[in-house]
Structures are given as C-alpha cells and as structure tokens.
Amino acid sequence: RQAVDGSSSLRAMGAARTTWRAAVGAVGVGAAWLAAMAYAVHHAYRIRLYAIETYGYVIHEFDPWFNFRATKYLADNGWHAFFHWFDRMSWYPLGRPVGTTIYPGMQITSVALWRGLNAVAPYLGTAPISLNDVCCLVPAWFGASATITLAVLTYECTRSVASSAFAGLIMAVVPAHLMRSVGGGYDNESVAITAMCLTFLAWCRALRGDASDDWRVVRRDAYVFGIAAGLAYSYMVAVWGGFVFVLNVVTAHAFVLALLFRYTEKLRVAYSLFFLVGTAGATRVPVVGWRPLRDTEQLAALVAFVGLNLLGLTLRKRAKHVSDDRVETPTKPPPVSTTTTTTSSSSKKKSKAAAPPTPPPTVAPKKPPRWRRSARIAKVAVVSRIEAAVYLGILVGAAFAVLYPRGYFGPLSARIRGLFVKHTRTGNPLVDSVAEHQPASTAAYEQYLHHVYHLGPVGAVASLLLTKPTDARVFLWTYALVVLFFCSKMARLIILLGPAASALGGVALGVPFDLLITDALGDLFASARRKTMEASPPEEEEKPSSKEKKSADASEKNGVRRPRSLVAASTAVARFFRRWLWSSRLAAVVRIAGGAYALYAFVKPKAIEFKDYAYQLSEGLSQPSIMFKGRLMNGEEVMVDDYREAYLWLKKHTKKSARILAWWDYGYQITGIGERTTLADGNTWNHEHIATLGRILTAPEDEAWAIARHLADYVLVWAGGGGDDLAKSPHMARIGNSVYHDFCPDDPTCGHFGMYRGGRPTPSMARSLLYKLTQAGLQQGVELDEKRWKQAYQSKFGKVRIFRIVNVSKESKAWVANETNRVCDAPGSWYCPGQYPPAIEWLIAKRKPFRQLEDFNTGTRDESSKKYTEEYHKRMEASSGGRRPPPASSKDGEPPPPRPGAPTATLGLVGCYRLESQLPDAKVYAGGDTATSVAAAADFATSVGKKFFAIARVETDGHVFAFDDLPAGKQVSDAGCRRQCLDDDFDCGCADAGCPASVKRQADESYVRRWVVYALSDEGVASSSRGSAAASKKKRASRSSSSSSKKAAQSGAAEL
C-alpha cells in the first residue's frame, strides 16, 4: 500500500509539473508570436511611409484623386447627399451619378477614422489631423492590419504558430501587397486586402471542428463565424469590385470539400449563413444592387448554396440505412445462477426441480464488419452526390429556361471575360489598352514576390505531405490555385497573390521550424517527464483477458513471437524510432542545434536580402507618378512636378466653368487638383463617350476642332515621351474606331495610324490633332492652325501642354447648362443625366454602339458587329505572333506601319552598361514602343544619323538613346542584360519594373537600368573604339551648362 501511495503521489507531482510546463510553454510561444507580430507591424507601417517622408502628404496616381474627392464630399455633405450625388464636373455633358457608381466602403471608413481621431485628439493632447493626411495614411494603416489578419488566417489553416509568424513577417513587406498600399496610394485595394483576409479568416474559423465529430454535428462556431464571414464579405463588397473573386474562392472551397467527400452539416450551415448574410449585405451597396442574383460571374455562389442544401437532404435521408444497419447473429443466453448449500438428496431434488428451463438462444444486433460498413458509407456518399447533382441540374435548367428568354441574367464583364479568352483579348480595345489587364510574366512574379516566388511551391508541398488535411488546409490550397490561375491571365491580380504566397511561404519556413525546434523543445520536456514516470514504482498490471491471451498465443509460432500484421509491425517500429531516437533528449538537443544553425546560416541571410529588396522596391513603388525625381544631364537631381503644376495652373488661370478635353487617364487628377470639368475619367463606364474622345484626338485638325468647340474650352495633352499621349495614340484610334467605323474601315486595329520605323509618322498620324498638339514647335514642319488652337501653357520640362480652343460655341455650352435639357428618371429626381448639344448630333448619329461577344443578353448581334469582333481577334492574334495581315482597304491607300522584324542594318553588340552617365552626353532620346524592338531602335538611330544606340526595355515601352561614341566605364553581364525584346530575338536590356528581381539598384544608381548597346555595323565598333573614352570625357567637360527654355522643353524627357 505504501508503494502504491508513493507511486500515485509521484504521478500527481509529475502531472502538476507537466501542466505548469505546458502553461509556461504556451505563454512563451504566445509572447514570441506577439513579438514577431510587433516586428512585422513595425516594418509593415514603416516601409509604406517612404512616399510621405519623401514627397509629403500627397495623393498618388489617378484613381486615388477621385477617391479623395469623394471622401471630402462625404465629409462635407453627409451620408444622404453622398448617395444622391450627381457629379456635373465629370463626363461632360452627361455627368456621372456617383452615388450609384462608387464602392463607398473606403470613403466611409476614412471619414469614420478622421472623425474618431479628431474626437480623441483633445484627450491625447495631439493636434487635429486633416482629412488629406488620413487618406494618405489609410494604406499604411491597413497594410499593417492586413499583416496581422493574414498571420491569424495562416494559423487557422495550419494550426502552427511558427507558420503564422513567418507568414506575417513576409506579408509585412512583400511587394505584391506593397504595390497597392504605399502611403498616399489611396486606392480601394489598400483596404480591400484586409477585408478579404477577414472574410477568409471567419470562413475557415466557421469550419473548425474535432476530428472525432460526427458529420451531423454542428457546433456553435459554424453559426457565429458563418454570420461573421457574411458580414466581412459585405464590407468587402462595399470596398472593392474585386469582391467577386472572394465570393468565388469561398464557393470553390465549398465545392472542393463536397467533391473530396468532406461534406459535413457544419459546412452546409456555415456556407448558407455566409451566402445569405453576405448577399443581403451586398445588395445594400448601390453600385451592386441585385447583381449577386443576376450576374453570370456571381451565380456560382447561388448554385453552390442550393447544391449543398440538396446534398444535405439526400445524405440525411440515405444515412439512416447505414446507421440502422445491423447483422443478426445468434448468441448464448446468460448463465442462470442457482444456490445449492445443502448436500442432502432431498435438497438436490428440490434444487433440480426448482431450476427454470433453459431458454432458447436469442438474436442480438451486431454491427457489420468494418469493410462492409465502409463500403456502404461510400456507396451512400456517391449515390447521394449523384442524386443531388440530378436535382440541381433540373432546377438550374428550369430556371435558365424560364429566365434567360426574359433577359434576367447579366453578361460577363469584359474584364472577367478577358481571364478566359485566348490571348487575353477581350474584343474590347478599351480594356485591352490597359497594361494591367495583360497576363503576368515570370519576371513580374519574381519582381513582386522575390524569394517568396520559390518558397510558395515548397510550402504547398509541405502542407500537402507533412500535415494532416483539414477543411482549412484545403482552403489554403484552393485559394492558392485559384489566384495563381487568374494572375497568369491578368497582371493586376498579383496583389491577390500576395496573401496566398505569404501564407505558403510561412508554411515552407514554419514546418521545418516546428520539426526542428518547436517539437524538439516539447520532446525535451516530455523525455524528462518520462524519466520521472519510469522512476516511480509500477502499479499492478491488469491481467490480460482471455481474448487477448488467445490473440497473443496465436501470434507465437515455434516459440518465436511475431507481430500480428505488417501494420502493427510498422507502427511498433515507428513508435520505437520516435520515442528512443527522434524524441530522445539527445536527439532533441541535436534537432534544436541544427534548426538554430539553419536559421542563422540560411534563413537569416535570405530574410535580410528579401527585406532590403522590398525596401529598395518600395522607393520605386512610392513615387506618386504625379511627381517624381529625375536627373539632368549634368547629374543634378531635380523634382519633376510638371503634372501637378499644370493642374494648378488650370485652377488659377481658367474660369470655374472651364471644360477640359483630355484623355480619360487624367480626368480624376484634373477634377481633383485643378477643380475643373472633364469629359471622361478612369470610371470608363461609357464606352461610346470615350470613343468620341478618341475620335476627336485622332481626327484631322479641322475635323477635331469642329467637334471640340462644342464640348470643351481647353485641350490638355501629355507630351515629352515616356508614356505620353503619342505613345497611347494607337489605342485611342482603335477605341474610336470601335464606335465610329469610318475612321479605319475593315481594320479594327487601325493599322494605318501609327509610326514607321525610326519615329516617322504615317500620313493619318501626321494629320491628327494629337500629333500636332504634342509636336508643334518641337518637330520641324509640324504646325497648328492658330485660328483654331492657341497654346496657353507648357510645363517646365515639357511633360504637359495646354491649348485654348478658339471660337468656342457659347450656344452649345448654354444649351448643356440649361436644366430643362436634362433627362431625369422621374420629376424632381436627383438622377438627371445631360445630353449632347444639338450641334454635334451629326457625329452622334454616326455612332454604332459597341457590342462584343459577352453581350449575349442584349439581343441578336448584327452581322457587322460579329464581323468586327472576329476581325479584331484575328488581327490582334496575328500581331501577337509577329504577323500583321494587311488591311483589306486602308484610308487614303496608306500602307500599314511595318512591324519591327529583322533589323534593316547590320548590328554589332557592344556590351551592357549599368549607368546612363556611362553613355555619351551627345545623345538623342526615343521612348515608347521603340524600346521593345532592336529593329525599331536601329531604325531610329539610322534616322537621326547616329552610329550606336542603347536600349532598356520596361514592358511594352522603355528608353532608347542614339549617339556617336562608345560608352565609357565597366560593362556588366547579368539577367537584366539578357532580357529579350518583344518582337525579335535580340537582347533589349531592362529598366525599372522590367528588370528581374536579381537585378538590384546600386548605391550610385538613381534607377535600375541595364543598357544594351549596339553598333549599326561591326566596323562601327572598331572605328569608334579608339580614344572613345577620352573623347567622351572631353565632351562632358566642355558641355555648356546653359540652354534656352525651348531646348530644355525639347530635351526634358531625354534629360530625365
């Protein structure tokens, strides 16, 4: 008894120590996780403040200016006025109903934060913060919140604290997330990533359960977090139009779970609540309305909702046959106890007479063999799914047959359709003109993911092979596969890949960390506990039952004991290996030491390299585009503020009623900074109206003036190279021709409108208004008719030019301003779009409404629309493959501009250089698509009479310099130098975002460049090599430091 009492006491003490150690371990792990999150949040916030520290509290890009303007309107006018705001300063003369065409979540959030911060400012002793500053800081704040949310989501999917911490550290600085969340980048995506991660977190949390739970069990979590997922999704809908992706990822996950035979009632309940609450919230957002129940890209969620509930019904009905299934087998009756205490014969007779008769054998239910039960369960699962699919097909078919003829279903949007069509051509030249809608390349993945690009697949494999599948882990795989597919179709969606790549990168680092360090620490404490337990006196062992004894005897043969099965043998070996080899104290110490060495020797250097790369890239991503740093030929660094100064000039020197005609890209900035009316902006809701802009800018000067004088007072163009309006002009022509077919008859791609090799314009380009506005006074022989256009402003470096339209039609302006000429949807309504003035009815009558393949729900397409779409796809496909068929008939008999093919001159490779300062000072610049082809660059150098040229390609544009002397200094050879051109097999170098991730900016570089230099002939290399460095040095020393303002404007782009 004393020995047994001592053993029990020791065991109780051991259990207490184990509990204490577990508590200390949990506190330590939690503290380590919090420390990692604090470090991650610090860097997530700090890295996003570079733009604010460098440029101040300035709103970036184009769309953020409208977002800020809308936020200011909400703060000044209130909720009701915001949702009934019809903006007359945009889309003149039609206007825009902002209240029903905006995703207001970010604006509401920003105003709430602004008011909340100013409400607590007096108590904190801080100065009030302006709304502008709040909007500039919102991306940084939500970048930090997305970091924490993604870390918690990773923990929910993996149940690994280490994976969660690593994922948060990656998410803090990964460029794929940073690209849309730098300070000042007040765009919807900066808030939407947090909303998306919150939705995914609540959804995965709703599916958490015990492995031992029956499939019918529905825990409270499924109800609570199912509703929470719906609410988070509603916020996501209010924030960004990308909510469709979130909806379909959750739907795809539910479908995959059902397909993998992981259906449970908690899945049905959680998804039903998510769909019902989320859809109800989504329909309350005015811009969305009832689209969740009508749009083709959102109907999959409705189908999944109905399908899961049908599957639940069929499974519950058929599962009864499995649960009630028993095999009837005879069993012996229980023994009858009789008392015989006497030995007399009489008592024996009485006992014998009193004994009851033996009852017949009874039949007791018994479960069938496991294999039979498993077979029946599998059969029920398969048959139930087939039955549910049949019912679902009948319902979907009936709904389609009834609703489709009535025009109930909405078409796929052009952007969604662009994810699936061949060559990513949507048939809509407006959508195809946006670079973000093109597929992502390997270089883009490496640029925005860096080392995570290689870690992600490792994490996916580790999660798949080394961890037990759960519903949340299946979600992580589903999310990664879906977003990877869509990123391969549209580069803009790389931002959605950031969280998935960070989570998988965290798993890739967290799994080995757990095996080598976390589990080893647990094994170290466990081995100490086992030693204590083994030192205690043994308790009485239970005697084996007769069944166990028989089984043990049967497992012995010829005196040799052997395992009962191969599985048992392997289990025993694995148990022995884990206890005495892998989990022993010595092995635990070795694992911890090995893990620490791996962290120090391998993970730490790569982590520092990744962080430094992210900080370096953040400098480029943080440039607000409306202003940027540049370097003049003499090496002086300057701040180029041409664009903002031009908009401020409009604000100060034009009337408030002035109307500005400009390409739609700049509309938000003109209304946001210049506070003047524009004809179009980045909302791009009216294709025909934008086509009218394209028609005006690409039309001959006199025809353009006849239209523009009825719609605008000024024309603003971007000039000076580097993505200016001249580089965008082919897109303008295609968009205009998609509605006005008379401009490029029989050629939807407008092949006759462009540039020949060497930068010489085609006749239709040379006659166009846009060419003359950008080149007048800069190119010899290019002049504007001063009776129609007067130059009013030119920026310091020639990046922006503004022209006043002469003899503007006052009658048309007054007619548009007259409220009686507006078309209201009801008397006294706020929704009253304007109309075009009667003076241009002749132009509007020439319109052919643009219709494309996705417009299947707007009636039968006429033959001409079908022919246009087919011809557009054929020619764009041929263009992508390097072949452009000639147009059937071109305007004025002009041949199409030759597509760059083989160079027209014999080329000799000189080498690759890092710095622009290594190139000679006396050089001529060309940008745009000239830098995408060595052939085009060579023709440019030939046209300006130079012997050499240097080329550095970004994506679909870049930089080219032509000169007569060889570059000076050391050459380089890396991946950036070997980057191929778009249209031939030569190397085109790289610039900025076009450079691979391995090419990093050095301390002496302002920007990342790899200049590949060619000579127009091999002889040129030899003849120019002698004394070229000295000549170049002499030229630099003797270069004059003064230049006229006209020359500065002409060479501004080249200098920068």
Side-chain angles (χ1 to χ4, degrees), residues 64-229:
W65 278 102
F66 167 75
N67 294 330
F68 172 68
R69 181 168 170 252
T71 305
K72 191 173 183 301
Y73 189 93
L74 174 62
D76 294 341
N77 298 279
W79 187 282
H80 182 271
F82 178 77
F83 284 104
H84 295 80
W85 176 23
F86 200 98
D87 185 14
R88 302 286 173 190
M89 291 183 64
S90 61
W91 292 88
Y92 181 89
L94 307 177
R96 175 188 173 185
V98 177
T100 57
T101 59
I102 188 177
Y103 292 94
M106 185 173 66
Q107 284 76 14
I108 295 172
T109 302
S110 299
V111 172
L113 289 172
W114 174 61
R115 289 177 176 170
L117 290 173
N118 286 334
V120 301
Y123 302 99
L124 299 178
T126 59
I129 187 172
S130 68
L131 184 61
N132 177 83
D133 293 355
V134 169
C135 293
C136 289
L137 290 171
V138 158
W141 292 339
F142 277 86
S145 66
T147 297
I148 298 177
T149 308
L150 189 275
V152 179
L153 172 62
T154 305
Y155 175 78
E156 186 63 38
C157 292
T158 62
R159 310 298 293 171
S160 168
V161 175
S163 298
S164 170
F166 282 120
L169 291 170
I170 294 172
M171 183 68 175
V173 297
V174 66
H177 180 215
L178 189 65
M179 63 189 292
R180 290 284 183 167
S181 59
V182 296
Y186 187 54
D187 219 337
N188 297 70
E189 291 93 328
S190 61
V191 179
I193 297 300
T194 298
M196 181 183 73
C197 291
L198 277 174
T199 304
F200 290 160
L201 173 60
W203 166 250
C204 291
R205 182 64 180 83
L207 298 180
R208 185 196 292 185
D210 197 316
S212 61
D213 285 348
D214 186 82
W215 69 274
R216 302 178 186 85
V217 174
V218 181
R219 295 176 178 267
R220 184 177 60 182
D221 292 349
Y223 294 97
V224 174
F225 289 99
I227 295 174

Side-chain angles (χ1 to χ4, degrees), residues 531-811:
K531 188 173 181 180
T532 303
M533 299 296 290
E534 290 169 359
S536 63
E539 295 183 358
E540 282 191 52
E541 296 183 359
E542 295 183 1
K543 294 182 179 181
S545 64
S546 59
K547 185 175 181 180
E548 293 175 345
K549 188 174 180 180
K550 289 180 181 180
S551 176
D553 293 340
S555 64
E556 294 184 2
K557 187 175 183 180
N558 298 327
V560 179
R561 187 174 183 85
R562 57 189 177 88
R564 287 176 293 175
S565 66
L566 183 62
V567 175
S570 59
T571 303
V573 171
R575 187 181 296 115
F576 175 82
F577 172 80
R578 175 167 180 80
R579 179 170 182 177
W580 299 108
L581 297 180
W582 180 259
S583 300
S584 64
R585 179 174 292 185
L586 177 61
V589 172
V590 172
R591 286 159 57 196
I592 294 173
Y597 175 77
L599 281 175
Y600 180 79
F602 302 107
V603 177
K604 181 181 177 182
K606 293 294 184 182
I608 294 175
E609 184 178 344
F610 174 65
K611 187 186 77 171
D612 292 343
Y613 172 81
Y615 270 90
Q616 174 186 322
L617 190 62
S618 72
E619 296 183 16
L621 296 174
S622 297
Q623 292 195 17
S625 81
I626 196 171
M627 55 191 300
F628 59 90
K629 289 181 179 179
R631 193 175 297 276
L632 301 179
M633 287 182 178
N634 61 3
E636 178 187 357
E637 187 177 74
V638 295
M639 183 70 72
V640 182
D641 200 8
D642 280 28
Y643 307 115
R644 191 170 62 162
E645 289 177 355
Y647 303 141
L648 292 175
W649 184 91
L650 287 173
K651 182 178 180 180
K652 295 177 181 178
H653 296 88
T654 62
K655 297 179 180 179
K656 289 186 177 181
S657 61
R659 305 157 298 170
I660 314 300
L661 188 155
W663 190 234
W664 63 266
D665 286 355
Y666 326 127
Y668 285 149
Q669 292 180 344
I670 293 172
T671 53
I673 304 174
E675 298 181 4
R676 293 297 178 263
T677 301
T678 61
L679 271 66
D681 53 41
N683 187 248
T684 64
W685 65 277
N686 191 318
H687 183 101
E688 286 73 23
H689 189 72
I690 292 179
T692 303
L693 281 184
R695 186 70 179 89
I696 295 172
L697 292 172
T698 57
E701 180 185 1
D702 53 349
E703 182 181 335
W705 176 81
I707 305 170
R709 63 185 293 265
H710 296 286
L711 295 174
D713 301 292
Y714 293 86
V715 181
L716 181 148
V717 294
W718 277 23
D724 61 1
D725 283 345
L726 203 58
K728 302 172 185 176
S729 60
H731 295 298
M732 300 181 188
R734 292 171 190 163
I735 295 169
N737 186 69
S738 66
V739 173
Y740 301 97
H741 293 341
D742 60 328
F743 184 64
C744 306
D746 301 322
D747 181 11
T749 61
C750 288
H752 67 78
F753 189 88
M755 294 282 189
Y756 293 115
R757 293 175 184 172
R760 184 169 59 89
T762 61
S764 58
M765 169 69 85
R767 290 194 303 268
S768 68
L769 171 66
L770 182 64
Y771 185 78
K772 292 187 176 183
L773 292 177
T774 57
Q775 302 301 312
L778 304 178
Q779 291 287 344
Q780 186 175 3
V782 181
E783 296 180 355
L784 269 174
D785 184 356
E786 293 188 357
K787 295 181 179 180
R788 295 187 174 98
W789 321 91
K790 290 282 188 180
Q791 181 169 327
Y793 175 81
Q794 178 168 293
S795 61
K796 179 179 180 181
F797 293 102
K799 292 291 184 181
V800 182
R801 308 182 84 183
I802 301 175
F803 295 85
R804 181 174 60 85
I805 302 175
V806 179
N807 194 19
V808 170
S809 174
K810 297 180 180 180
E811 295 80 6

Side-chain angles (χ1 to χ4, degrees), residues 859-870:
T860 305
R861 235 171 4 133
D862 57 85
E863 192 63 27
S864 62
S865 297
K866 182 179 179 181
K867 182 180 178 182
Y868 173 90
T869 304
E870 292 175 350

